[in-house]
Amino acid sequence: MSMFILRKAEPKDVSDILRLIKELAKYEEMENQVLLTEEDLLEDGFGDHPFYHCIVAHVPEEHQSADGHVIIGFAMYYFTYDPWIGKLLYLEDFYVMKEYRGFGIGSEILKKLSNTAVRTRCSSMHFIVAEWNKPSIEFYKRRGASDLSLEEGWRLFKIDKQNLMKMTDEE
Amino acid sequence: MKFTIREGKPEDCKDIERMIMELAVYEKMPDQVKISHKELERDGFGPNAYYKFLVAEVPEEQKSKDGYTKVGYALFFYTYSTWKGRVVYMEDLYVMPEYRGKGIGKALMANVAKVGKEKECVRLQLSVLDWNKPSLEFYLAKGAEDLTAKEGWHHIRFHGEALNNLAQEAP
């Protein structure tokens, strides 16, 4: 599959992006956790204060998917900050539809992202991966990634809205 | 003890640099700190700010034994969950040892939660080192959930040479 292009996502892509987000969530066995809507994606990605950046993989009409889609992969990222080393590129989601895997599309997306990271003065690219997701872990390790949870002991925590409200009410 | 929590300003960056190093020493990784107040000033203010921070300040008469009145900080930024939307990520939370146990950490974090609430964030995320018992207890008491334990998420990083190698392969 040499015929695919990677480009910056545009407002018209939000419905494809949401479709792919849901497919990836299904793969991660957490499909009913996707609460985001096309409207949210539009406002949060293309409004006054973008919370994310997105690139999409586009194939020509003649290579469309079984369901008739031409947007067959995406990566969503944003910039974060490490007080020790400065700007980082954080990869939030990265997905290629099953029928398009094994053609190097995932590798090209990752290369494009790392190129963006270097160009924008980011010292590292970070992301999280589920420990049971062996194919993804192998894919990243083959390319020189480190698992900071294993190597340094970092654990990710969340505090949900209810508990956040409690915190602000107590102040 | 009287203290105030306020938004950080460029002139606070020298004190933040000092406290970042104190926190890195506590986390047993001081040699990983590569940036100074210059980068903090450049990256934290202006139209392309990559992070925000709050400062905890005490009056002159309660200054530290080394003469500091800025005794704690919280550094945070916005991230995006493709499942739920806007998230506030608290990267650093630190109070100098001689000022602990007086509600300063709690107040800093509540103010981060407040900012997150104003921006319609659905959750707050943070990372803690697995051996850091005092911090783990502090966050668990506020309703934090360990996503690494619960869902198996690991932090992955592409850094330095690995990142450059990836980027150089880009078309």
PDB file of all heavy atoms in Angstrom, chain A residues 114-145:
ATOM      1  N   SER A 114       7.276  11.956  15.206  1.00  0.00           N
ATOM      2  CA  SER A 114       8.580  12.189  15.830  1.00  0.00           C
ATOM      3  C   SER A 114       9.286  13.328  15.115  1.00  0.00           C
ATOM      4  O   SER A 114       9.994  14.117  15.748  1.00  0.00           O
ATOM      5  CB  SER A 114       9.428  10.922  15.847  1.00  0.00           C
ATOM      6  OG  SER A 114       9.461  10.345  14.587  1.00  0.00           O
ATOM      7  N   ASN A 115       9.066  13.454  13.819  1.00  0.00           N
ATOM      8  CA  ASN A 115       9.601  14.575  13.052  1.00  0.00           C
ATOM      9  C   ASN A 115       9.010  15.885  13.552  1.00  0.00           C
ATOM     10  O   ASN A 115       9.728  16.883  13.732  1.00  0.00           O
ATOM     11  CB  ASN A 115       9.282  14.345  11.569  1.00  0.00           C
ATOM     12  CG  ASN A 115       9.992  15.348  10.695  1.00  0.00           C
ATOM     13  OD1 ASN A 115       9.387  16.249  10.161  1.00  0.00           O
ATOM     14  ND2 ASN A 115      11.287  15.194  10.584  1.00  0.00           N
ATOM     15  N   THR A 116       7.704  15.891  13.796  1.00  0.00           N
ATOM     16  CA  THR A 116       7.026  17.068  14.355  1.00  0.00           C
ATOM     17  C   THR A 116       7.620  17.404  15.717  1.00  0.00           C
ATOM     18  O   THR A 116       7.882  18.563  16.030  1.00  0.00           O
ATOM     19  CB  THR A 116       5.514  16.818  14.503  1.00  0.00           C
ATOM     20  OG1 THR A 116       4.969  16.516  13.236  1.00  0.00           O
ATOM     21  CG2 THR A 116       4.792  18.026  15.084  1.00  0.00           C
ATOM     22  N   ALA A 117       7.852  16.387  16.538  1.00  0.00           N
ATOM     23  CA  ALA A 117       8.403  16.594  17.882  1.00  0.00           C
ATOM     24  C   ALA A 117       9.772  17.279  17.794  1.00  0.00           C
ATOM     25  O   ALA A 117      10.020  18.286  18.461  1.00  0.00           O
ATOM     26  CB  ALA A 117       8.540  15.265  18.619  1.00  0.00           C
ATOM     27  N   VAL A 118      10.642  16.758  16.939  1.00  0.00           N
ATOM     28  CA  VAL A 118      11.985  17.318  16.810  1.00  0.00           C
ATOM     29  C   VAL A 118      11.921  18.746  16.263  1.00  0.00           C
ATOM     30  O   VAL A 118      12.567  19.659  16.784  1.00  0.00           O
ATOM     31  CB  VAL A 118      12.868  16.409  15.920  1.00  0.00           C
ATOM     32  CG1 VAL A 118      14.172  17.080  15.558  1.00  0.00           C
ATOM     33  CG2 VAL A 118      13.132  15.082  16.623  1.00  0.00           C
ATOM     34  N   ARG A 119      11.086  18.948  15.233  1.00  0.00           N
ATOM     35  CA  ARG A 119      10.930  20.268  14.622  1.00  0.00           C
ATOM     36  C   ARG A 119      10.429  21.326  15.601  1.00  0.00           C
ATOM     37  O   ARG A 119      10.753  22.496  15.506  1.00  0.00           O
ATOM     38  CB  ARG A 119       9.915  20.177  13.471  1.00  0.00           C
ATOM     39  CG  ARG A 119      10.484  20.432  12.100  1.00  0.00           C
ATOM     40  CD  ARG A 119       9.425  20.553  11.003  1.00  0.00           C
ATOM     41  NE  ARG A 119       8.283  19.681  11.127  1.00  0.00           N
ATOM     42  CZ  ARG A 119       7.044  20.073  11.460  1.00  0.00           C
ATOM     43  NH1 ARG A 119       6.801  21.329  11.730  1.00  0.00           N
ATOM     44  NH2 ARG A 119       6.057  19.200  11.532  1.00  0.00           N
ATOM     45  N   THR A 120       9.565  20.905  16.532  1.00  0.00           N
ATOM     46  CA  THR A 120       8.977  21.862  17.480  1.00  0.00           C
ATOM     47  C   THR A 120       9.735  21.880  18.812  1.00  0.00           C
ATOM     48  O   THR A 120       9.216  22.345  19.823  1.00  0.00           O
ATOM     49  CB  THR A 120       7.485  21.553  17.735  1.00  0.00           C
ATOM     50  OG1 THR A 120       7.365  20.193  18.173  1.00  0.00           O
ATOM     51  CG2 THR A 120       6.659  21.758  16.484  1.00  0.00           C
ATOM     52  N   ARG A 121      10.948  21.392  18.796  1.00  0.00           N
ATOM     53  CA  ARG A 121      11.827  21.508  19.962  1.00  0.00           C
ATOM     54  C   ARG A 121      11.357  20.670  21.157  1.00  0.00           C
ATOM     55  O   ARG A 121      11.521  21.072  22.304  1.00  0.00           O
ATOM     56  CB  ARG A 121      11.894  22.983  20.412  1.00  0.00           C
ATOM     57  CG  ARG A 121      13.157  23.712  20.190  1.00  0.00           C
ATOM     58  CD  ARG A 121      13.230  25.036  20.977  1.00  0.00           C
ATOM     59  NE  ARG A 121      12.029  25.828  20.965  1.00  0.00           N
ATOM     60  CZ  ARG A 121      11.206  25.980  21.999  1.00  0.00           C
ATOM     61  NH1 ARG A 121      11.428  25.350  23.136  1.00  0.00           N
ATOM     62  NH2 ARG A 121      10.122  26.737  21.909  1.00  0.00           N
ATOM     63  N   CYS A 122      10.749  19.527  20.898  1.00  0.00           N
ATOM     64  CA  CYS A 122      10.339  18.654  21.999  1.00  0.00           C
ATOM     65  C   CYS A 122      11.465  17.664  22.269  1.00  0.00           C
ATOM     66  O   CYS A 122      12.021  17.103  21.327  1.00  0.00           O
ATOM     67  CB  CYS A 122       9.067  17.890  21.641  1.00  0.00           C
ATOM     68  SG  CYS A 122       7.647  18.967  21.443  1.00  0.00           S
ATOM     69  N   SER A 123      11.768  17.466  23.563  1.00  0.00           N
ATOM     70  CA  SER A 123      12.859  16.538  23.898  1.00  0.00           C
ATOM     71  C   SER A 123      12.422  15.095  23.785  1.00  0.00           C
ATOM     72  O   SER A 123      13.247  14.204  23.647  1.00  0.00           O
ATOM     73  CB  SER A 123      13.345  16.732  25.322  1.00  0.00           C
ATOM     74  OG  SER A 123      13.196  18.041  25.719  1.00  0.00           O
ATOM     75  N   SER A 124      11.129  14.855  23.975  1.00  0.00           N
ATOM     76  CA  SER A 124      10.641  13.473  23.952  1.00  0.00           C
ATOM     77  C   SER A 124       9.230  13.413  23.414  1.00  0.00           C
ATOM     78  O   SER A 124       8.530  14.421  23.358  1.00  0.00           O
ATOM     79  CB  SER A 124      10.535  12.887  25.353  1.00  0.00           C
ATOM     80  OG  SER A 124      11.704  12.905  26.057  1.00  0.00           O
ATOM     81  N   MET A 125       8.860  12.211  23.061  1.00  0.00           N
ATOM     82  CA  MET A 125       7.472  11.927  22.726  1.00  0.00           C
ATOM     83  C   MET A 125       7.017  10.920  23.785  1.00  0.00           C
ATOM     84  O   MET A 125       7.705   9.925  24.027  1.00  0.00           O
ATOM     85  CB  MET A 125       7.396  11.313  21.332  1.00  0.00           C
ATOM     86  CG  MET A 125       5.994  10.994  20.905  1.00  0.00           C
ATOM     87  SD  MET A 125       5.838  10.816  19.112  1.00  0.00           S
ATOM     88  CE  MET A 125       6.682   9.286  18.828  1.00  0.00           C
ATOM     89  N   HIS A 126       5.892  11.192  24.430  1.00  0.00           N
ATOM     90  CA  HIS A 126       5.382  10.312  25.479  1.00  0.00           C
ATOM     91  C   HIS A 126       4.005   9.795  25.130  1.00  0.00           C
ATOM     92  O   HIS A 126       3.260  10.437  24.406  1.00  0.00           O
ATOM     93  CB  HIS A 126       5.225  11.098  26.791  1.00  0.00           C
ATOM     94  CG  HIS A 126       6.495  11.286  27.549  1.00  0.00           C
ATOM     95  ND1 HIS A 126       6.585  11.113  28.912  1.00  0.00           N
ATOM     96  CD2 HIS A 126       7.725  11.657  27.149  1.00  0.00           C
ATOM     97  CE1 HIS A 126       7.812  11.372  29.310  1.00  0.00           C
ATOM     98  NE2 HIS A 126       8.519  11.706  28.264  1.00  0.00           N
ATOM     99  N   PHE A 127       3.638   8.661  25.694  1.00  0.00           N
ATOM    100  CA  PHE A 127       2.279   8.171  25.564  1.00  0.00           C
ATOM    101  C   PHE A 127       2.085   7.055  26.588  1.00  0.00           C
ATOM    102  O   PHE A 127       3.034   6.693  27.286  1.00  0.00           O
ATOM    103  CB  PHE A 127       1.990   7.652  24.147  1.00  0.00           C
ATOM    104  CG  PHE A 127       3.078   6.787  23.566  1.00  0.00           C
ATOM    105  CD1 PHE A 127       3.016   5.401  23.684  1.00  0.00           C
ATOM    106  CD2 PHE A 127       4.146   7.340  22.886  1.00  0.00           C
ATOM    107  CE1 PHE A 127       4.006   4.600  23.140  1.00  0.00           C
ATOM    108  CE2 PHE A 127       5.139   6.543  22.341  1.00  0.00           C
ATOM    109  CZ  PHE A 127       5.066   5.177  22.468  1.00  0.00           C
ATOM    110  N   ILE A 128       0.871   6.559  26.686  1.00  0.00           N
ATOM    111  CA  ILE A 128       0.645   5.421  27.577  1.00  0.00           C
ATOM    112  C   ILE A 128       0.159   4.243  26.735  1.00  0.00           C
ATOM    113  O   ILE A 128      -0.433   4.434  25.668  1.00  0.00           O
ATOM    114  CB  ILE A 128      -0.373   5.724  28.703  1.00  0.00           C
ATOM    115  CG1 ILE A 128      -1.704   6.223  28.138  1.00  0.00           C
ATOM    116  CG2 ILE A 128       0.196   6.686  29.716  1.00  0.00           C
ATOM    117  CD1 ILE A 128      -2.798   6.367  29.214  1.00  0.00           C
ATOM    118  N   VAL A 129       0.448   3.071  27.225  1.00  0.00           N
ATOM    119  CA  VAL A 129       0.026   1.875  26.508  1.00  0.00           C
ATOM    120  C   VAL A 129      -0.428   0.864  27.573  1.00  0.00           C
ATOM    121  O   VAL A 129       0.115   0.839  28.683  1.00  0.00           O
ATOM    122  CB  VAL A 129       1.201   1.373  25.629  1.00  0.00           C
ATOM    123  CG1 VAL A 129       1.982   0.273  26.273  1.00  0.00           C
ATOM    124  CG2 VAL A 129       0.745   0.979  24.266  1.00  0.00           C
ATOM    125  N   ALA A 130      -1.444   0.080  27.263  1.00  0.00           N
ATOM    126  CA  ALA A 130      -1.932  -0.893  28.239  1.00  0.00           C
ATOM    127  C   ALA A 130      -0.978  -2.080  28.262  1.00  0.00           C
ATOM    128  O   ALA A 130      -0.557  -2.558  27.202  1.00  0.00           O
ATOM    129  CB  ALA A 130      -3.335  -1.348  27.869  1.00  0.00           C
ATOM    130  N   GLU A 131      -0.646  -2.556  29.446  1.00  0.00           N
ATOM    131  CA  GLU A 131       0.397  -3.583  29.564  1.00  0.00           C
ATOM    132  C   GLU A 131       0.035  -4.900  28.884  1.00  0.00           C
ATOM    133  O   GLU A 131       0.920  -5.663  28.515  1.00  0.00           O
ATOM    134  CB  GLU A 131       0.772  -3.835  31.029  1.00  0.00           C
ATOM    135  CG  GLU A 131      -0.342  -4.409  31.852  1.00  0.00           C
ATOM    136  CD  GLU A 131      -0.081  -4.368  33.350  1.00  0.00           C
ATOM    137  OE1 GLU A 131       0.961  -3.828  33.768  1.00  0.00           O
ATOM    138  OE2 GLU A 131      -0.923  -4.872  34.095  1.00  0.00           O
ATOM    139  N   TRP A 132      -1.243  -5.161  28.652  1.00  0.00           N
ATOM    140  CA  TRP A 132      -1.628  -6.421  27.991  1.00  0.00           C
ATOM    141  C   TRP A 132      -1.501  -6.291  26.475  1.00  0.00           C
ATOM    142  O   TRP A 132      -1.583  -7.264  25.741  1.00  0.00           O
ATOM    143  CB  TRP A 132      -3.064  -6.819  28.344  1.00  0.00           C
ATOM    144  CG  TRP A 132      -4.092  -5.772  28.081  1.00  0.00           C
ATOM    145  CD1 TRP A 132      -4.693  -4.967  28.991  1.00  0.00           C
ATOM    146  CD2 TRP A 132      -4.629  -5.358  26.805  1.00  0.00           C
ATOM    147  NE1 TRP A 132      -5.562  -4.105  28.390  1.00  0.00           N
ATOM    148  CE2 TRP A 132      -5.549  -4.318  27.050  1.00  0.00           C
ATOM    149  CE3 TRP A 132      -4.434  -5.777  25.486  1.00  0.00           C
ATOM    150  CZ2 TRP A 132      -6.252  -3.676  26.030  1.00  0.00           C
ATOM    151  CZ3 TRP A 132      -5.130  -5.143  24.465  1.00  0.00           C
ATOM    152  CH2 TRP A 132      -6.023  -4.104  24.736  1.00  0.00           C
ATOM    153  N   ASN A 133      -1.314  -5.062  25.973  1.00  0.00           N
ATOM    154  CA  ASN A 133      -1.277  -4.807  24.532  1.00  0.00           C
ATOM    155  C   ASN A 133       0.101  -5.125  23.965  1.00  0.00           C
ATOM    156  O   ASN A 133       0.846  -4.236  23.547  1.00  0.00           O
ATOM    157  CB  ASN A 133      -1.668  -3.343  24.270  1.00  0.00           C
ATOM    158  CG  ASN A 133      -1.895  -3.068  22.799  1.00  0.00           C
ATOM    159  OD1 ASN A 133      -1.551  -3.872  21.939  1.00  0.00           O
ATOM    160  ND2 ASN A 133      -2.455  -1.904  22.501  1.00  0.00           N
ATOM    161  N   LYS A 134       0.449  -6.421  23.977  1.00  0.00           N
ATOM    162  CA  LYS A 134       1.791  -6.869  23.585  1.00  0.00           C
ATOM    163  C   LYS A 134       2.210  -6.420  22.170  1.00  0.00           C
ATOM    164  O   LYS A 134       3.322  -5.948  21.997  1.00  0.00           O
ATOM    165  CB  LYS A 134       1.922  -8.391  23.730  1.00  0.00           C
ATOM    166  CG  LYS A 134       1.712  -8.929  25.152  1.00  0.00           C
ATOM    167  CD  LYS A 134       3.058  -9.235  25.833  1.00  0.00           C
ATOM    168  CE  LYS A 134       2.891  -9.721  27.264  1.00  0.00           C
ATOM    169  NZ  LYS A 134       2.605  -8.648  28.216  1.00  0.00           N
ATOM    170  N   PRO A 135       1.345  -6.532  21.149  1.00  0.00           N
ATOM    171  CA  PRO A 135       1.771  -6.097  19.805  1.00  0.00           C
ATOM    172  C   PRO A 135       2.226  -4.645  19.787  1.00  0.00           C
ATOM    173  O   PRO A 135       3.256  -4.315  19.195  1.00  0.00           O
ATOM    174  CB  PRO A 135       0.521  -6.271  18.937  1.00  0.00           C
ATOM    175  CG  PRO A 135      -0.341  -7.223  19.676  1.00  0.00           C
ATOM    176  CD  PRO A 135      -0.034  -7.062  21.131  1.00  0.00           C
ATOM    177  N   SER A 136       1.484  -3.760  20.465  1.00  0.00           N
ATOM    178  CA  SER A 136       1.859  -2.342  20.496  1.00  0.00           C
ATOM    179  C   SER A 136       3.153  -2.135  21.266  1.00  0.00           C
ATOM    180  O   SER A 136       4.027  -1.388  20.830  1.00  0.00           O
ATOM    181  CB  SER A 136       0.753  -1.496  21.127  1.00  0.00           C
ATOM    182  OG  SER A 136      -0.405  -1.551  20.315  1.00  0.00           O
ATOM    183  N   ILE A 137       3.288  -2.801  22.408  1.00  0.00           N
ATOM    184  CA  ILE A 137       4.508  -2.648  23.205  1.00  0.00           C
ATOM    185  C   ILE A 137       5.729  -3.080  22.391  1.00  0.00           C
ATOM    186  O   ILE A 137       6.749  -2.388  22.369  1.00  0.00           O
ATOM    187  CB  ILE A 137       4.406  -3.411  24.547  1.00  0.00           C
ATOM    188  CG1 ILE A 137       3.318  -2.766  25.408  1.00  0.00           C
ATOM    189  CG2 ILE A 137       5.744  -3.435  25.285  1.00  0.00           C
ATOM    190  CD1 ILE A 137       3.115  -3.398  26.770  1.00  0.00           C
ATOM    191  N   GLU A 138       5.611  -4.198  21.675  1.00  0.00           N
ATOM    192  CA  GLU A 138       6.728  -4.679  20.847  1.00  0.00           C
ATOM    193  C   GLU A 138       7.057  -3.682  19.749  1.00  0.00           C
ATOM    194  O   GLU A 138       8.223  -3.401  19.475  1.00  0.00           O
ATOM    195  CB  GLU A 138       6.400  -6.051  20.203  1.00  0.00           C
ATOM    196  CG  GLU A 138       6.422  -7.211  21.179  1.00  0.00           C
ATOM    197  CD  GLU A 138       7.665  -7.226  22.050  1.00  0.00           C
ATOM    198  OE1 GLU A 138       8.792  -7.240  21.498  1.00  0.00           O
ATOM    199  OE2 GLU A 138       7.529  -7.206  23.288  1.00  0.00           O
ATOM    200  N   PHE A 139       6.010  -3.157  19.099  1.00  0.00           N
ATOM    201  CA  PHE A 139       6.148  -2.160  18.030  1.00  0.00           C
ATOM    202  C   PHE A 139       6.971  -0.968  18.519  1.00  0.00           C
ATOM    203  O   PHE A 139       7.909  -0.516  17.846  1.00  0.00           O
ATOM    204  CB  PHE A 139       4.739  -1.729  17.607  1.00  0.00           C
ATOM    205  CG  PHE A 139       4.660  -0.668  16.539  1.00  0.00           C
ATOM    206  CD1 PHE A 139       4.647  -0.994  15.196  1.00  0.00           C
ATOM    207  CD2 PHE A 139       4.552   0.678  16.890  1.00  0.00           C
ATOM    208  CE1 PHE A 139       4.536  -0.008  14.208  1.00  0.00           C
ATOM    209  CE2 PHE A 139       4.446   1.665  15.916  1.00  0.00           C
ATOM    210  CZ  PHE A 139       4.446   1.323  14.574  1.00  0.00           C
ATOM    211  N   TYR A 140       6.671  -0.457  19.730  1.00  0.00           N
ATOM    212  CA  TYR A 140       7.378   0.702  20.262  1.00  0.00           C
ATOM    213  C   TYR A 140       8.785   0.338  20.738  1.00  0.00           C
ATOM    214  O   TYR A 140       9.741   1.083  20.504  1.00  0.00           O
ATOM    215  CB  TYR A 140       6.581   1.334  21.406  1.00  0.00           C
ATOM    216  CG  TYR A 140       5.226   1.856  20.980  1.00  0.00           C
ATOM    217  CD1 TYR A 140       4.061   1.498  21.660  1.00  0.00           C
ATOM    218  CD2 TYR A 140       5.103   2.692  19.878  1.00  0.00           C
ATOM    219  CE1 TYR A 140       2.820   1.963  21.265  1.00  0.00           C
ATOM    220  CE2 TYR A 140       3.858   3.168  19.474  1.00  0.00           C
ATOM    221  CZ  TYR A 140       2.732   2.792  20.164  1.00  0.00           C
ATOM    222  OH  TYR A 140       1.503   3.251  19.771  1.00  0.00           O
ATOM    223  N   LYS A 141       8.919  -0.807  21.392  1.00  0.00           N
ATOM    224  CA  LYS A 141      10.230  -1.198  21.919  1.00  0.00           C
ATOM    225  C   LYS A 141      11.236  -1.412  20.786  1.00  0.00           C
ATOM    226  O   LYS A 141      12.404  -1.025  20.908  1.00  0.00           O
ATOM    227  CB  LYS A 141      10.110  -2.477  22.751  1.00  0.00           C
ATOM    228  CG  LYS A 141       9.605  -2.216  24.160  1.00  0.00           C
ATOM    229  CD  LYS A 141      10.068  -3.282  25.103  1.00  0.00           C
ATOM    230  CE  LYS A 141      10.265  -2.797  26.511  1.00  0.00           C
ATOM    231  NZ  LYS A 141       9.745  -3.759  27.473  1.00  0.00           N
ATOM    232  N   ARG A 142      10.760  -1.982  19.675  1.00  0.00           N
ATOM    233  CA  ARG A 142      11.616  -2.203  18.502  1.00  0.00           C
ATOM    234  C   ARG A 142      12.197  -0.898  18.000  1.00  0.00           C
ATOM    235  O   ARG A 142      13.238  -0.872  17.362  1.00  0.00           O
ATOM    236  CB  ARG A 142      10.802  -2.832  17.353  1.00  0.00           C
ATOM    237  CG  ARG A 142      10.811  -4.338  17.305  1.00  0.00           C
ATOM    238  CD  ARG A 142      10.459  -4.834  15.908  1.00  0.00           C
ATOM    239  NE  ARG A 142       9.153  -4.379  15.465  1.00  0.00           N
ATOM    240  CZ  ARG A 142       7.998  -4.989  15.755  1.00  0.00           C
ATOM    241  NH1 ARG A 142       7.984  -6.065  16.509  1.00  0.00           N
ATOM    242  NH2 ARG A 142       6.852  -4.507  15.303  1.00  0.00           N
ATOM    243  N   ARG A 143      11.482   0.198  18.278  1.00  0.00           N
ATOM    244  CA  ARG A 143      11.935   1.505  17.799  1.00  0.00           C
ATOM    245  C   ARG A 143      12.636   2.307  18.885  1.00  0.00           C
ATOM    246  O   ARG A 143      12.833   3.510  18.750  1.00  0.00           O
ATOM    247  CB  ARG A 143      10.742   2.284  17.225  1.00  0.00           C
ATOM    248  CG  ARG A 143      10.308   1.723  15.872  1.00  0.00           C
ATOM    249  CD  ARG A 143       8.898   2.086  15.519  1.00  0.00           C
ATOM    250  NE  ARG A 143       8.533   1.545  14.222  1.00  0.00           N
ATOM    251  CZ  ARG A 143       8.208   0.265  14.006  1.00  0.00           C
ATOM    252  NH1 ARG A 143       8.181  -0.577  15.012  1.00  0.00           N
ATOM    253  NH2 ARG A 143       7.889  -0.152  12.792  1.00  0.00           N
ATOM    254  N   GLY A 144      13.038   1.666  19.974  1.00  0.00           N
ATOM    255  CA  GLY A 144      13.855   2.328  20.998  1.00  0.00           C
ATOM    256  C   GLY A 144      13.108   3.004  22.129  1.00  0.00           C
ATOM    257  O   GLY A 144      13.702   3.772  22.891  1.00  0.00           O
ATOM    258  N   ALA A 145      11.802   2.730  22.285  1.00  0.00           N
ATOM    259  CA  ALA A 145      11.052   3.379  23.371  1.00  0.00           C
ATOM    260  C   ALA A 145      11.382   2.751  24.722  1.00  0.00           C
ATOM    261  O   ALA A 145      11.763   1.583  24.796  1.00  0.00           O
ATOM    262  CB  ALA A 145       9.562   3.271  23.102  1.00  0.00           C
TER     263      ALA A 145
END
